[in-house]
Amino acid sequence: MRPIRAACLGTATALVTLLACAPGAAAATHTDAVHAKSGHHVITLIGHLVQQSRFPVNPGGGPAQGDRTVVRSLLFDKDDKFQVGETDGTCTTTTVENGGAEECVVTYKLPGGQLSVQGLVFGILTGGLPTIPPPSFDNAITGGTGDFREARGQVHADTIGTGKRRFTIDLHR
């Protein structure tokens, strides 16, 4: 494995991604589903980063286009008490200028199926180093399996502590 360096901070401390539940799965996972209209749910989950590896293009050098971060997080209910799933994902640096950007692809494993999320995260670098805390972001729900096979919507992520993010999932079916 190449040495880890201060490259782009993966957005998938999420994760990710990331993060939705069908009506039946919402109760089973202790999430808070708000029914604004039929087929629309807002779910809040807390992600705890448990593994993160960085694969720099230029080991020992500054951030570069193509740097990759691989992450795994555990997902908990909105009260951060019950584990309800996990995320796995990768982020690739696409831009190092003007605060940098990463393209992230994250999969959320939840009761009833998986949810896929993808998008750009901007402002990942400050002065050539990872932005601490990582910036908030919005990514698209691109699909899913099982109960989430028709999932669409978006995920908003906010950093709420070291290695900890709040995910607000706006899910449409």
Side-chain angles (χ1 to χ4, degrees):
M1 180 186 291
R2 291 183 271 179
I4 296 175
R5 80 171 156 86
C8 303
L9 198 57
T11 62
T13 48
L15 38 187
V16 38
T17 316
L18 310 245
L19 321 143
C21 290
T29 61
H30 306 282
T31 58
D32 65 333
V34 178
H35 302 278
K37 61 182 178 178
S38 179
H40 179 230
H41 305 280
V42 176
I43 300 163
T44 302
L45 298 173
I46 306 298
H48 292 261
L49 180 66
V50 293
Q51 290 178 295
Q52 181 176 20
S53 299
R54 294 189 177 105
F55 301 91
V57 170
N58 302 312
Q65 186 178 43
D67 286 350
R68 193 169 51 113
T69 301
V70 181
V71 296
R72 177 175 178 258
S73 297
L74 298 179
L75 293 172
F76 290 80
D77 68 340
K78 69 178 178 83
D79 296 319
D80 205 12
K81 294 185 181 185
F82 301 101
Q83 183 180 343
V84 298
E86 67 179 73
T87 65
D88 296 280
T90 61
C91 296
T92 303
T93 301
T94 57
T95 305
V96 294
E97 297 84 18
N98 302 318
E102 290 178 323
E103 167 70 22
C104 296
V105 177
V106 180
T107 300
Y108 294 82
K109 180 183 173 195
L110 297 167
Q114 298 177 18
L115 189 63
S116 299
V117 178
Q118 179 177 351
L120 287 171
V121 178
F122 298 98
I124 58 163
L125 299 171
T126 303
L129 297 173
T131 300
I132 305 294
S136 297
F137 64 88
D138 295 294
N139 282 174
I141 296 171
T142 57
T145 65
D147 292 343
F148 312 109
R149 68 186 167 275
E150 298 175 17
R152 292 291 182 259
Q154 68 178 17
V155 175
H156 177 78
D158 288 309
T159 299
I160 58 173
T162 303
K164 192 172 177 180
R165 287 194 181 214
R166 177 184 307 110
F167 297 102
T168 305
I169 302 104
D170 188 2
L171 179 67
H172 301 268
R173 297 195 87 207

